[in-house]
Amino acid sequence: MPQRRLRRSEVVGYSIGSFGTGGFGTVPGLLLLFYLTDTLGVAASLAGVIVFIPKLWDVVIDPVLGSLSDRTMLRRGSRRPWLLLGGLTLPVAFVLTFAAPGGLTAAGTGTWVAVLFVLAVTAFSVFQVSYLAMPAEITDDYAERIDIMSWRIVFLTVAILLFGVAAPLLVDLGGGGRAGYLTMALVVGTLMGLAMIGAWWGTRTTTAHSVPEQGATVREQVTALRENRDFATLLGAFVLQALATGTMLAGAVYVATYLLGDETLTSVLFACLVGPAVLVMPVWRVVGLRLGKQRGFLLATLVFITAVVALVFLRSYPPVLVYGVVGLVGVAYAGMQMFPLSMLPDTLAADAARSGRQRAGVFTGIWTAGETTGFALGPAIVAAVLALTGFVSSTAGESASQPDTALTGITLAFTAVPAVLAVLSVPLVLRYALSAERLSALTSTPTTERLPS
């Protein structure tokens, strides 16, 4: 008996969750390091450790959550309880992360941020691991999974643009300093929570067409990763590129403040970086249909490398040229998001066909761990470069004068480092070989539309 196609309301209901995950993936990477170094007065070297340790914990907890999610799916036929739990707890932990009390030493405020950010990262993973596993289970149709992912990427892109531009502005509207960051966190946290709970509610009528056999042990997770080479290759490329974009994201506020001379220009830089994605996403979809996902992914990566290398000399550019080249980076970024996220469900379907087991939670747990590690290491790398080049931290209301070496460090962290990371991802993008034809040969489920991969 053919399965029921998902209603549009169910596709949108699922996809709206990416508005919340996009917010959490954007705001801490954009502002948390700067909040530590230029509002709380935490030294750059210590700030880098603070933003990285919670994500290191994420690497440990994500595969565990994936296994627990599979067990919940096995018992209840749904992963939705995890969506609700994450949607309720993440906003609280996120707000508290940016609510460090006054009167503490720099080490004390750093500890506060580290502990609360660990809780926020955990809450995010509770939601994200189950959320990523759902498209491979609520439909068996290859083309319909593409439709789901297209909608999801639309919400994700809008969230990245909205939160990336609005968050720095909210800090200013809140009066700057501690009060400004708390105002921003309250608004952003509320919107994230509403979107995530919206996904829980929007998927209430979806029915899983496949369930996992059992929760996987750590050894079984390692075995699964080794057996699914397409997934491992895609994950490696995506993590390196997440690290590259995470480094640019964390460096943007320093570029705006110390190279362009105005912290409020962070929103302009971010709009240039992410804004083009809204316009060019349909173009990248056409590229994918004509050239295939893997070739489209490669093209986006090469455009990214070219544009970032051109930014190495940004200190000699007029601001309008900086914005234009950053906009070209944004065009590439759109493709670097769309292609791997639309390829991920293909690798899960291929694994199920080869192994005879449904273990999507295992893979999405590993994926989430890799993704968050990449975005976490970005700010940590920026912090390390700043520390090595003599960056001077300050507290709210102070204006530190930076040595020329620190300005060079900011430039390199925003340009050369992301370029090198993207170059390292190219061999992995070339190695990915899961085409639509190969996937069709692995599965017996007919597709309603043959789309190139």
Side-chain angles (χ1 to χ4, degrees), residues 258-327:
Y258 296 106
L259 300 186
L260 300 180
D262 188 349
E263 182 182 343
T264 61
L265 292 178
T266 302
S267 296
V268 178
L269 278 178
F270 198 88
C272 293
L273 180 62
V274 182
V278 178
L279 300 176
V280 303
M281 194 66 74
V283 177
W284 282 121
R285 185 176 186 276
V286 171
V287 170
L289 292 174
R290 293 186 177 181
L291 300 182
K293 295 179 188 176
Q294 186 263 357
R295 290 180 181 176
F297 190 19
L298 177 61
L299 178 60
T301 304
L302 295 177
V303 173
F304 178 87
I305 293 169
T306 301
V308 174
V309 168
L311 280 172
V312 169
F313 306 101
L314 69 87
R315 292 178 67 184
S316 63
Y317 294 166
V320 66
L321 182 57
V322 174
Y323 302 146
V325 180
V326 171

Side-chain angles (χ1 to χ4, degrees), residues 197-423:
I197 294 172
W200 165 77
W201 178 256
T203 55
R204 67 192 184 282
T205 58
T206 58
T207 302
H209 297 279
S210 58
V211 297
E213 294 182 4
Q214 61 183 31
T217 64
V218 173
R219 178 176 294 182
E220 289 170 336
Q221 291 174 13
V222 173
T223 300
L225 182 60
R226 186 173 62 248
E227 291 174 351
N228 194 343
R229 294 183 180 179
D230 297 311
F231 172 85
T233 300
L234 182 64
L235 175 64
F238 187 71
V239 168
L240 284 169
Q241 295 187 5
L243 181 52
T245 54
T247 303
M248 291 196 75
L249 187 66
V253 64
Y254 293 96
V255 171
T257 303
Y258 296 106
L259 300 186
L260 300 180
D262 188 349
E263 182 182 343
T264 61
L265 292 178
T266 302
S267 296
V268 178
L269 278 178
F270 198 88
C272 293
L273 180 62
V274 182
V278 178
L279 300 176
V280 303
M281 194 66 74
V283 177
W284 282 121
R285 185 176 186 276
V286 171
V287 170
L289 292 174
R290 293 186 177 181
L291 300 182
K293 295 179 188 176
Q294 186 263 357
R295 290 180 181 176
F297 190 19
L298 177 61
L299 178 60
T301 304
L302 295 177
V303 173
F304 178 87
I305 293 169
T306 301
V308 174
V309 168
L311 280 172
V312 169
F313 306 101
L314 69 87
R315 292 178 67 184
S316 63
Y317 294 166
V320 66
L321 182 57
V322 174
Y323 302 146
V325 180
V326 171
L328 183 59
V329 175
V331 170
Y333 175 74
M336 289 164 60
Q337 284 289 300
M338 189 196 80
F339 288 115
L341 289 176
S342 64
M343 293 153 80
L344 173 61
D346 298 343
T347 67
L348 303 184
D351 175 76
R354 282 192 297 257
S355 68
R357 297 181 58 192
Q358 294 292 341
R359 44 190 182 183
V362 171
F363 289 111
T364 55
I366 296 171
W367 180 277
T368 303
E371 178 183 11
T372 53
T373 299
F375 280 113
L377 275 173
I381 288 176
V382 172
V385 173
L386 294 182
L388 290 172
T389 54
F391 180 84
V392 181
S393 297
S394 60
T395 57
E398 296 180 354
S399 180
S401 178
Q402 302 298 337
D404 190 66
T405 54
L407 300 181
T408 300
I410 292 170
T411 304
L412 294 177
F414 189 70
T415 60
V417 172
V420 170
L421 292 167
V423 167

Side-chain angles (χ1 to χ4, degrees), residues 8 68 75 98 119 153 161 192 201 265 319 321 331 344:
R8 180 62 65 195
L68 291 174
R75 291 194 306 266
F98 288 94
L119 295 178
I153 293 170
L161 177 60
M192 289 193 304
W201 178 256
L265 292 178
L321 182 57
V331 170
L344 173 61

Side-chain angles (χ1 to χ4, degrees), residues 83-102:
L83 271 59
L84 179 61
L85 179 60
L88 291 174
T89 55
L90 176 59
V92 177
F94 178 81
V95 171
L96 292 176
T97 299
F98 288 94

Side-chain angles (χ1 to χ4, degrees), residues 58-76:
D58 196 49
V59 175
V60 176
I61 196 65
D62 281 348
V64 175
L65 289 172
S67 183
L68 291 174
S69 178
D70 279 346
R71 291 191 176 98
T72 301
M73 183 67 175
L74 179 62
R75 291 194 306 266
R76 303 183 59 170

Side-chain angles (χ1 to χ4, degrees), residues 47-62:
V49 174
I50 289 170
V51 298
F52 177 66
I53 286 179
K55 297 301 182 73
L56 187 62
W57 160 250
D58 196 49
V59 175
V60 176
I61 196 65
D62 281 348

